Amino acid sequence: MLVSKLYAPTLREVPAEAEIPSHKLMLRAGYMRKSATGMYSYLPLAQRVLQKIETIIREELNAIDSQEILMPIVQPAEIWQQSGRWDVYGAEMWRLKDRHGHDYCLGPTHEEMITTLAHMDVNSYRQLPLSLYQIQDKFRDERRPRFGLMRSREFIMKDAYTFDKDEEGLNKSYQDMYDAYSKIFTRCGLTFRPVEADSGAIGGSGSHEFMVLADSGEAEISYCTQCDYAADTEKAELNLIEASAEEVLPKEKVVTPDCKTIADVCAYLKSPVEKSVKAVAYQSEKGLILCFVRGDHEVNDIKVINTCGVNQLEMAPAELLEAAGTTGGYMGPCGIDPEKAIVVCDQSVMKMHNFCCGANEEGYHFINVNPGRDFTPTFVADIRLMQEGDPCPRCGGKIAKARGIEVGQVFKLFTKYSEKLNATYLDENGKANPMFMGCYGIGVGRTMAAAVEQNNDKDGIIWPVEIAPYHVIVVPINIKDEAVKEKAFAVYAELKKAGIEVILDDRDERPGVKFKDADLIGYPVRVVLGKKTLDNGQIEVKARKTGSIRMLPADDFVDGIRAILEELKKS
Amino acid sequence: MLVSKLYAPTLREVPAEAEIPSHKLMLRAGYMRKSATGMYSYLPLAQRVLQKIETIIREELNAIDSQEILMPIVQPAEIWQQSGRWDVYGAEMWRLKDRHGHDYCLGPTHEEMITTLAHMDVNSYRQLPLSLYQIQDKFRDERRPRFGLMRSREFIMKDAYTFDKDEEGLNKSYQDMYDAYSKIFTRCGLTFRPVEADSGAIGGSGSHEFMVLADSGEAEISYCTQCDYAADTEKAELNLIEASAEEVLPKEKVVTPDCKTIADVCAYLKSPVEKSVKAVAYQSEKGLILCFVRGDHEVNDIKVINTCGVNQLEMAPAELLEAAGTTGGYMGPCGIDPEKAIVVCDQSVMKMHNFCCGANEEGYHFINVNPGRDFTPTFVADIRLMQEGDPCPRCGGKIAKARGIEVGQVFKLFTKYSEKLNATYLDENGKANPMFMGCYGIGVGRTMAAAVEQNNDKDGIIWPVEIAPYHVIVVPINIKDEAVKEKAFAVYAELKKAGIEVILDDRDERPGVKFKDADLIGYPVRVVLGKKTLDNGQIEVKARKTGSIRMLPADDFVDGIRAILEELKKS
């Protein structure tokens, strides 16, 4: 490809709505254009990246005997009514009618469709296991589309579905897919972590999210620095830590003037923060909820919601606290009337001894408080956020944190859809059983955007070699110099012949302009041909990622460039 | 791939609605399943065929410097309102609203979208010419979806668009695309003809349809047996043929009892049919229209509609004929009151001498009628259908007919959309000009179906090698015979290693069942391994298309099979 022909219109000014690097850079460098809110056209460079990701996906899924199909985008309402999701999905589902007034939707996902297919054609245990996938556009009418391809309304997704005879089969299919996903994201040149998306603490998990690590990630991940444990921080479950024995002291009320925060209190009392308990007060449809965690811990709203069986939490107003006989800044679990407030204590609080906490009275705290003796909560549960330095619930190692972008998810559906949509098979004894299903998604456009989030600098994108639109750009310093031009085309032709994906900047532009564009677009390797270096029989080869420059002989460079590309893949 | 794993569920009974071979066979052989009226899921075999067609399309379009992009399916109403097509498109366009009530459609085509893209980013003559394409689902809510993939509501289309500075550039882009299309359909192994889709007689045409020849084709094609002229019969224009001179004889009224058809009259009068003129009478919103063509010609309704400037034609009732002073079976152009009927004569009638025609009176005809002297029509025009044996309007050669399936179309748009959507570029002098556009479509699913229409027999599909889901099926007669089984897997492995796409029927089924399935699915080459032939050191290789069987050495067959595949490609 010649740059003069490449359709990659660059932008000088990026729309203000583009907030994150991938969105800004892909607009600026001419990878995509917005056609409507949350909808994008992919221009040639993006299309090449997408196709490379798709090829990697296809190869790895075909390798585990998953077979590619293609299901319609427009789906009849009936199958969604049968699964019970037609009414549940809400405004996020694009709905439409055909000319006869029949209801349809634009597939936000394809569980109903694939289960209907299996219902039609899979009848016998001999046809199982079965693994099918497609790469197809999906549609979700997001309330707030943003971040470019991260949260768009029309997006490319690879979705796969497995059908098995029983849970054992499902577990194997799930593991195969999990392994394939790991290979896929590795081959895309991405740094990622599969994280447990639910009930991770115990060991077995029904779902994993594949997270590409990047500072701009929407999700916070807690991962173990010693084992492969990783979880969405909001969902990470903590193990109960056995406390050491300690002599129980008598509870005392102490004056703590102007100590409104736990830090103030601990400083004033000269007590370590690990010996304190702090409170967060919520208003809910079940009334006031007082949550207590250790002074250096944070409350996890979602766990509180699940523990108390409520739908929503808001910060409790002062009046509500007064009515329950307490006050902001001095809340504590002792003496709260269970009729007036739900008291929820984190499990770790129940193992503490002789801690300090609010006395439910302006200016006073208790010290030497002990659970059981001094208070009995309504609920004891794991209600705190996992934090840096916490012990890994799997191996006890140290937890670290990172931000991540979800690019894939694997999920055990068990018989949820097969029962509702009547997808049964006859077993060896002629008995009908529902199939055990799994579903597995990869956001293809999102993977491309995540790669940019993880790999960029102030000058532009730094593509992993594996999914770069072209591997090498050849830049002649001055295209008007006939000798330079001729050599540039020769180098271009030789690289092409060697199977390296190469683009030649044949434009009559200043070198600075060409270098800027090359950096912005993010080709992994740049080859520069100038009169001087050519006179010395050399060409300059620069790796975009490391910035390292190497001079190669102008008549023997293919292997050298190939070696640089291989090094970049490993770096 | 192993047949035991392949997801290709066959059907014993094909739904009654499947009328044509491709629809029936692709359902029966497990290539596709219907999910709603006019909407299909493509199963693994079909997906492989589709991807092969897509690969051929990509290679040929990339070769002419067309660049692949991907535009959204959901398109905002605004751009369609700007082009004026939002209201024109009617019920065929799927419309929908988002959660904010904004109007969108599912793209039936992408002229508006691509022109908007060009408007945003193409500003200078230096960016032209530009050629972009995508392979994307299209949506048309057909009134009567039928014939499977031939007329469906959601379908895969390759659409390309070119942008040029001027008409000369457009002509070149058009020709490049025309040539690429010819290569694409040739590489798909199809017998096809590009036909002129409008005003073909003169020479230059603004549109060609690429027709795959098949008896079940919806369109009738007239093509020259000597030059490359071909046109949709309904649109084929006829040249005026100069008549030879002939002495004009006096008109006579003759009795022709019970001669209601032109054949009766000519037989009764012992006059050649080429010396007769017959009539067709229509009722229109402008009243009665009497059309006259030579006795052996047929009237083309569409040409009559265009000539008379009416919207619709129906057969005229007897009363209307009576009111105009004529009667069925005896209509003629002489003496018709122009106030009571529009008289339209085919151009060739005006060059005839001394012909016979109805006398507008039950039981009588005129002979020796001569145009001008005996009657003056309201309109003289080309109003007849081209027919077998007609002279080619291009070279005078003989016209033959065939039926065809439209699989592609190339179309010069000129500045129709660029003017409406303001897609202008600045020329060398800094002056803004609208871009000259072309648009080019290929129905990808339709091409697959057309291939089946052109290549099938009573046993099933006969895929052209180039787009077959697999090239070779290996069938061990008895998989329970360990030696046969082992050899079958070895043959399978060796073919695979040689880069031949091969599938192994490893099922424990009777040979008859396996052969039937292989024929139905349509693999080009079948390799059969039986105990007896293996004992003789041979394997049996059968070409699906020709039925010819060749025995190859069981230890040296790869080149032989490759040769058979090459022969099949050429056949």
Side-chain angles (χ1 to χ4, degrees):
Chain A
M1 175 58 72
L2 301 176
V3 171
S4 64
K5 289 188 174 178
L6 176 71
Y7 187 60
T10 50
L11 284 185
R12 292 225 185 87
E13 278 173 47
V14 169
E17 69 187 59
E19 297 169 56
I20 59 170
S22 64
H23 193 186
K24 284 185 205 171
L25 290 171
M26 292 174 75
L27 286 175
R28 261 185 67 201
Y31 282 81
M32 64 185 205
R33 287 293 179 262
K34 179 173 138 178
S35 71
T37 308
M39 288 189 258
Y40 295 89
S41 288
Y42 306 104
L43 304 189
L45 288 173
Q47 182 64 12
R48 288 182 69 93
V49 176
L50 290 170
Q51 285 181 346
K52 291 194 175 190
I53 297 171
E54 289 170 4
T55 299
I56 291 171
I57 291 174
R58 286 190 169 108
E59 287 174 0
E60 293 302 332
L61 294 188
N62 293 348
I64 58 163
D65 284 335
S66 195
Q67 296 176 63
E68 187 170 359
I69 63 171
L70 191 66
M71 293 178 278
I73 284 168
V74 173
Q75 303 186 11
E78 287 77 10
I79 58 175
W80 288 83
Q81 283 154 352
Q82 211 181 327
S83 77
R85 291 209 289 181
W86 182 254
D87 297 320
V88 174
Y89 232 98
E92 209 175 87
M93 188 189 256
W94 288 88
R95 290 155 210 262
L96 70 169
K97 285 180 190 290
D98 73 1
R99 61 161 74 213
H100 305 295
H102 298 309
D103 285 312
Y104 293 85
C105 68
L106 302 185
T109 176
H110 278 70
E111 281 86 7
E112 280 76 1
M113 187 70 91
I114 195 98
T115 313
T116 306
L117 267 183
H119 161 70
M120 281 198 278
D121 286 313
V122 182
N123 320 300
S124 160
Y125 70 94
R126 275 188 295 257
Q127 294 170 274
L128 301 176
L130 177 64
S131 178
L132 301 171
Y133 74 95
Q134 65 171 352
I135 297 176
Q136 176 68 294
D137 284 340
K138 297 278 180 296
F139 297 82
R140 289 180 199 163
D141 192 3
E142 295 276 352
R143 193 149 58 108
R144 222 190 124 203
R146 63 205 149 123
F147 303 143
L149 301 186
M150 289 296 173
R151 195 165 293 277
S152 53
R153 299 200 290 174
E154 174 170 345
F155 52 98
I156 306 168
M157 200 169 146
K158 185 287 301 172
D159 45 325
Y161 306 89
T162 57
F163 299 88
D164 278 283
K165 284 190 284 182
D166 48 29
E167 191 170 347
E168 194 188 332
L170 168 57
N171 289 341
K172 174 165 186 330
S173 294
Y174 184 88
Q175 190 60 44
D176 285 350
M177 203 56 87
Y178 179 101
D179 294 342
Y181 271 41
S182 297
K183 286 182 190 162
I184 287 166
F185 295 118
T186 302
R187 282 187 60 191
C188 285
L190 297 171
T191 304
F192 69 97
R193 279 211 168 242
V195 310
E196 292 172 2
D198 59 13
S199 59
I202 317 307
S205 169
S207 175
H208 284 85
E209 290 165 350
F210 285 75
M211 296 280 192
V212 167
L213 303 187
D215 294 340
S216 61
E218 282 190 289
E220 192 190 79
I221 304 163
S222 294
Y223 65 94
C224 177
T225 52
Q226 282 163 47
C227 77
D228 66 357
Y229 172 84
D232 187 319
T233 299
E234 286 199 341
K235 292 169 191 158
E237 291 186 19
L238 285 131
N239 280 354
L240 184 55
I241 306 134
E242 284 304 315
S244 53
E246 192 174 317
E247 192 192 347
V248 171
L249 303 175
K251 183 176 86 168
E252 276 179 59
K253 185 164 159 184
V254 295
V255 65
T256 50
D258 292 328
C259 292
K260 287 242 166 185
T261 70
I262 199 72
D264 297 342
V265 176
C266 293
Y268 182 82
L269 296 175
K270 296 189 176 64
S271 162
V273 70
E274 296 82 14
K275 291 289 251 183
S276 69
V277 163
K278 72 179 178 190
V280 178
Y282 294 108
Q283 183 173 21
S284 78
E285 72 269 28
K286 290 189 181 170
L288 180 65
I289 300 179
L290 295 177
C291 304
F292 296 96
V293 293
R294 209 172 74 180
D296 56 340
H297 289 166
E298 297 300 328
V299 172
N300 179 334
D301 293 8
I302 293 167
K303 290 181 180 175
V304 174
I305 285 174
N306 292 337
T307 300
C308 300
V310 296
N311 291 318
Q312 227 181 331
L313 297 179
E314 284 174 42
M315 292 317 290
E319 312 83 73
L320 206 61
L321 298 181
E322 306 287 327
T326 184
T327 185
Y330 298 90
M331 292 181 282
C334 306
I336 297 291
D337 179 353
E339 297 289 311
K340 292 185 177 154
I342 298 171
V343 173
V344 192
C345 278
D346 185 62
Q347 55 187 3
S348 60
V349 169
M350 302 308 282
K351 296 285 170 184
M352 291 169 72
H353 303 290
N354 305 318
F355 61 75
C356 79
C357 63
N360 297 317
E361 185 180 343
E362 177 87 29
Y364 292 93
H365 276 77
F366 289 125
I367 58 169
N368 299 333
V369 174
N370 285 278
R373 182 190 73 180
D374 301 326
F375 67 93
T376 308
T378 323
F379 296 107
V380 174
D382 167 23
I383 62 160
R384 73 176 180 95
L385 278 172
M386 184 175 274
Q387 60 195 46
E388 203 117 26
D390 265 332
C392 167
R394 190 72 48 78
C395 77
K398 269 206 171 171
I399 288 294
K401 292 209 175 185
R403 297 204 71 84
I405 300 160
E406 189 198 324
V407 289
Q409 180 160 24
V410 290
F411 206 92
K412 290 181 191 170
L413 295 170
F414 295 94
T415 57
K416 179 176 171 185
Y417 292 94
S418 51
E419 283 182 17
K420 282 190 172 144
L421 293 156
N422 206 21
T424 58
Y425 73 96
L426 296 179
D427 65 18
E428 290 84 340
N429 306 314
K431 190 178 154 260
N433 298 296
M435 299 179 217
F436 277 70
M437 291 174 57
C439 70
Y440 316 87
I442 291 179
V444 180
R446 211 166 213 260
T447 299
M448 171 167 68
V452 176
E453 291 297 331
Q454 193 175 75
N455 302 282
N456 69 80
D457 62 13
K458 63 175 184 12
D459 296 322
I461 302 170
I462 309 167
W463 285 111
V465 173
E466 297 86 342
I467 58 173
Y470 293 92
H471 299 136
V472 174
I473 182 163
V474 174
V475 184
I477 292 277
N478 181 0
I479 195 83
K480 281 185 172 166
D481 180 322
E482 274 303 321
V484 171
K485 182 179 175 181
E486 196 178 309
K487 185 63 188 170
F489 272 89
V491 167
Y492 169 67
E494 201 166 333
L495 288 171
K496 213 169 159 180
K497 205 177 135 200
I500 292 169
E501 294 177 31
V502 60
I503 184 163
L504 170 66
D505 196 341
D506 59 334
R507 295 175 302 168
D508 179 18
E509 293 278 5
R510 282 178 296 113
V513 170
K514 295 188 195 180
F515 293 163
K516 260 197 152 57
D517 280 355
D519 282 351
L520 177 61
I521 288 173
Y523 306 108
V525 167
R526 189 184 80 188
V527 175
V528 177
L529 285 85
K531 199 175 155 7
K532 271 190 205 166
T533 47
L534 281 179
D535 285 348
N536 292 329
Q538 291 190 310
I539 60 175
E540 178 198 296
V541 184
K542 182 177 175 184
R544 171 81 177 84
K545 187 173 179 179
T546 58
S548 76
I549 291 177
R550 212 174 294 179
M551 302 305 293
L552 291 178
D555 55 0
D556 180 16
F557 51 83
V558 171
D559 288 343
I561 288 174
R562 222 195 293 269
I564 293 171
L565 288 169
E566 286 308 312
E567 278 167 36
L568 285 172
K569 279 188 197 173
K570 281 173 205 144
S571 72
Chain B
M1 175 57 75
L2 302 177
V3 171
S4 63
K5 289 189 174 179
L6 177 71
Y7 188 60
T10 50
L11 284 184
R12 293 226 183 88
E13 277 173 48
V14 170
E17 68 187 60
E19 295 169 55
I20 60 170
S22 62
H23 193 186
K24 283 184 205 170
L25 290 170
M26 290 174 76
L27 286 175
R28 261 184 67 200
Y31 282 81
M32 65 186 205
R33 286 295 179 265
K34 178 172 137 176
S35 71
T37 309
M39 288 188 260
Y40 295 89
S41 288
Y42 306 104
L43 303 189
L45 288 172
Q47 183 64 12
R48 287 182 69 93
V49 176
L50 290 171
Q51 286 182 345
K52 291 194 175 189
I53 297 171
E54 289 171 4
T55 299
I56 292 170
I57 290 174
R58 287 192 167 107
E59 288 173 0
E60 293 302 332
L61 294 189
N62 294 347
I64 58 163
D65 284 335
S66 196
Q67 296 176 63
E68 186 169 359
I69 62 171
L70 191 65
M71 293 179 277
I73 284 166
V74 172
Q75 304 186 12
E78 287 77 11
I79 57 177
W80 289 82
Q81 283 154 353
Q82 211 181 329
S83 77
R85 290 210 290 182
W86 183 254
D87 297 321
V88 175
Y89 232 99
E92 210 175 86
M93 188 189 256
W94 288 89
R95 290 155 210 260
L96 71 168
K97 285 182 192 289
D98 72 2
R99 61 160 76 214
H100 305 296
H102 298 309
D103 286 312
Y104 293 84
C105 69
L106 302 184
T109 175
H110 277 71
E111 282 86 8
E112 280 77 1
M113 187 69 91
I114 195 97
T115 312
T116 305
L117 266 184
H119 160 70
M120 282 198 278
D121 286 313
V122 182
N123 319 300
S124 159
Y125 69 94
R126 276 187 295 256
Q127 294 171 274
L128 302 176
L130 176 64
S131 178
L132 300 171
Y133 73 95
Q134 66 171 350
I135 298 175
Q136 176 68 296
D137 283 340
K138 297 276 181 293
F139 297 82
R140 290 181 198 162
D141 193 4
E142 296 275 353
R143 193 148 58 108
R144 222 190 123 205
R146 63 205 148 124
F147 302 143
L149 302 186
M150 290 296 173
R151 195 165 294 277
S152 52
R153 299 201 289 173
E154 173 171 344
F155 52 98
I156 307 168
M157 200 170 147
K158 186 287 300 172
D159 45 326
Y161 306 89
T162 57
F163 298 88
D164 278 283
K165 285 190 281 184
D166 48 29
E167 191 170 348
E168 195 188 332
L170 168 58
N171 289 342
K172 174 166 184 330
S173 294
Y174 183 88
Q175 190 60 44
D176 284 351
M177 204 56 87
Y178 180 101
D179 294 342
Y181 272 41
S182 297
K183 285 181 189 163
I184 288 166
F185 296 118
T186 302
R187 283 188 58 191
C188 286
L190 297 171
T191 304
F192 69 97
R193 277 210 170 242
V195 311
E196 292 172 2
D198 59 12
S199 58
I202 316 307
S205 168
S207 175
H208 284 85
E209 290 165 349
F210 284 75
M211 296 278 193
V212 166
L213 304 186
D215 292 341
S216 60
E218 282 190 288
E220 192 190 79
I221 305 162
S222 294
Y223 65 95
C224 178
T225 52
Q226 281 162 47
C227 76
D228 65 358
Y229 172 84
D232 186 321
T233 299
E234 286 200 342
K235 292 169 191 159
E237 291 185 20
L238 286 132
N239 280 354
L240 184 55
I241 306 132
E242 284 304 315
S244 54
E246 192 174 316
E247 192 192 345
V248 168
L249 303 174
K251 183 175 85 168
E252 275 180 58
K253 185 163 162 185
V254 295
V255 66
T256 49
D258 294 328
C259 292
K260 288 243 168 185
T261 71
I262 200 72
D264 295 343
V265 176
C266 292
Y268 182 82
L269 297 175
K270 295 189 178 63
S271 161
V273 71
E274 296 82 15
K275 292 289 253 182
S276 70
V277 162
K278 72 177 176 191
V280 178
Y282 293 108
Q283 182 172 23
S284 78
E285 71 270 26
K286 289 189 180 170
L288 181 65
I289 301 178
L290 295 177
C291 304
F292 295 97
V293 293
R294 210 172 73 180
D296 56 339
H297 289 164
E298 296 301 330
V299 171
N300 179 334
D301 292 7
I302 293 167
K303 290 181 180 175
V304 174
I305 285 174
N306 291 338
T307 301
C308 300
V310 295
N311 291 317
Q312 227 183 330
L313 297 178
E314 283 173 42
M315 294 314 291
E319 312 84 73
L320 205 63
L321 299 180
E322 305 288 327
T326 184
T327 184
Y330 298 92
M331 292 181 280
C334 306
I336 297 293
D337 179 351
E339 298 287 312
K340 292 186 177 154
I342 298 170
V343 173
V344 192
C345 278
D346 185 64
Q347 55 187 0
S348 62
V349 169
M350 303 307 283
K351 296 285 170 182
M352 291 169 72
H353 304 291
N354 305 318
F355 61 75
C356 80
C357 62
N360 299 315
E361 186 181 343
E362 176 88 28
Y364 292 93
H365 277 76
F366 287 127
I367 59 170
N368 298 333
V369 175
N370 285 278
R373 183 191 72 180
D374 301 326
F375 66 94
T376 307
T378 324
F379 296 108
V380 174
D382 167 23
I383 61 160
R384 74 175 181 92
L385 277 173
M386 185 174 273
Q387 59 195 45
E388 203 117 28
D390 264 332
C392 167
R394 187 74 48 77
C395 77
K398 267 206 172 171
I399 288 295
K401 294 210 175 184
R403 298 205 71 84
I405 300 160
E406 189 198 325
V407 289
Q409 181 158 24
V410 290
F411 206 91
K412 291 181 191 171
L413 294 169
F414 296 94
T415 57
K416 180 175 170 187
Y417 292 95
S418 51
E419 282 181 17
K420 282 191 171 143
L421 293 157
N422 206 21
T424 58
Y425 73 96
L426 295 179
D427 65 18
E428 289 84 340
N429 306 314
K431 191 175 154 263
N433 297 295
M435 299 178 217
F436 278 69
M437 291 174 58
C439 70
Y440 316 88
I442 291 178
V444 179
R446 212 166 214 259
T447 299
M448 171 168 69
V452 176
E453 291 297 331
Q454 193 174 74
N455 301 283
N456 69 78
D457 63 14
K458 63 172 185 15
D459 296 322
I461 302 171
I462 309 167
W463 285 111
V465 174
E466 297 86 341
I467 58 173
Y470 293 92
H471 299 137
V472 175
I473 183 164
V474 175
V475 185
I477 291 277
N478 181 0
I479 195 80
K480 283 186 172 165
D481 181 322
E482 275 303 321
V484 171
K485 182 180 174 181
E486 196 178 311
K487 184 65 187 167
F489 273 89
V491 167
Y492 168 67
E494 200 166 338
L495 288 171
K496 213 168 158 180
K497 205 177 135 200
I500 292 170
E501 293 176 31
V502 60
I503 185 164
L504 170 66
D505 197 340
D506 59 333
R507 295 174 301 167
D508 179 19
E509 293 277 4
R510 282 178 296 113
V513 170
K514 296 187 194 178
F515 294 163
K516 261 198 151 59
D517 281 354
D519 282 353
L520 177 60
I521 288 174
Y523 306 108
V525 167
R526 189 184 79 190
V527 176
V528 177
L529 284 85
K531 197 176 158 10
K532 271 190 204 163
T533 47
L534 281 178
D535 285 347
N536 292 330
Q538 291 189 312
I539 60 175
E540 178 199 294
V541 183
K542 182 178 175 184
R544 171 82 178 84
K545 187 174 180 180
T546 59
S548 77
I549 291 176
R550 211 174 294 178
M551 301 306 292
L552 290 178
D555 55 1
D556 180 16
F557 50 85
V558 172
D559 288 345
I561 288 174
R562 222 195 293 270
I564 292 171
L565 288 169
E566 287 308 312
E567 276 167 36
L568 284 173
K569 280 189 196 173
K570 281 172 203 144
S571 73

